[in-house]
Amino acid sequence: MIAIVKPGELSTRRSVDKGTEQQRQTVRTILNEVRNGGDGALLAYTRRFDGADLTRLDVTEEEIAAAYREVTEEWLASLREAAERIRRYHERQRQTSWFHPESDGTILGQLIRPLARVGIYVPGGRAAYPSSVLMNAIPAQVAGVEEIAMITPPDRDGRIPATTLVAAKEAGVTEIWKVGGAQAVAALAYGTESIRPVDKIVGPGNIYVAIAKQMVFGDVDIDMIAGPSEIVVVADETADPEWVAADLLSQAEHDPMASAVLITPSPALAERVAQALVQQCERLERREIAAQSLREQGAICVTSDMEEAISTANRLAPEHLELMVKQPWDWIGKVKNAGAIFLGPYSPEPVGDYFAGPNHVLPTNGTARFSSPLSVDDFVKKSSVIAYSREALFRDGSHVVRLAEGEGLGAHAASIRVRLERKEKGENDA
């Protein structure tokens, strides 16, 4: 079911589908038609792709109230506890504007302001992902974003899953729209008669959503282009093979393209985990998906020692990294590349997906080498503040003139020189 390989045989990049030219042309057409046709184009595409014949795109307060009646009190209590934990974690990420006065009267600083309006894409249709609603909306709310527009495709009856609607309400989403796919991205980027454009679009989707986000980037900001889920478990001889196998399968069941990799210096553990994977996979509802993922994208890598195991994990730069070792805190300092790090046997990856508090929107396919989890920082913008004093400008002006002239930018130099000359003539300056 799963290959046992050497460190050098592990690929650092997966071949992830970035879309065919035909798919890209389809998305271009959809973007243009929504940009020109507005709500009419959205309704037509919703009939065509989702089978829902809608007369309006917005979710009403009555629908949200009905959704609350559908969910259980126990589920709602769990959702609210998860939301509170996510909120507390992200509140620690908030930064404040700052100003630094210098002795010459100059003041330098930075203004930090929230984005005014963001859009959240939530996959839908036959599936429901309330956890993704919390993870995308709560950091925006904590950042101070006043308008959070959520888009999600309806089912054939024009309904949105009750759990998704309740999660949106609990997370502070201010408006919800029944539209999905590339057409939804177009609506958020360009606006329609009903949906006003946003400053940034976040959230995962299918290949058409991913392509659309790439194409509208520049008109709006986006978070990232997320690939299939992945997990790397670094484990030593003390790890429980049943637990390791269960954690690998927790990601393999996502998608045939999901990647689950065990890296261990223990050949005995490698064999026992391989056996446990076969046994546990047979009991899964999504066993065919998990089995294909393990067969085509998974691996068990046996290293010479723990140093090589950590080094191999750093090369992979995984979305999720579990350290299932005797003393995980002794090794965390050597981890250089990972979206999220889970320490010890009682920190399985699903705790991070749903409840612990850190964001589960993470860099994939090696991009943890240079990017970070979704955070409050993704929903703010920063402006530099420069208030030079008279004394400072006359002191530093000649340096600025010299550097500007060195680049051949005479008007830049003149902007400074006109002020210096006023002082040299003894004339009053502004």
Side-chain angles (χ1 to χ4, degrees), residues 123-135:
R126 291 174 295 178
Y129 298 98
S131 62
S132 288
V133 178
L134 299 185
M135 292 293 183

Side-chain angles (χ1 to χ4, degrees), residues 78 111 123 146 173 190 198 204 326 364 382 397 399:
S78 295
L111 278 177
E146 292 187 357
V173 170
Y190 307 129
V198 300
K326 185 176 182 181
T364 60
K382 302 173 184 179
H399 294 299

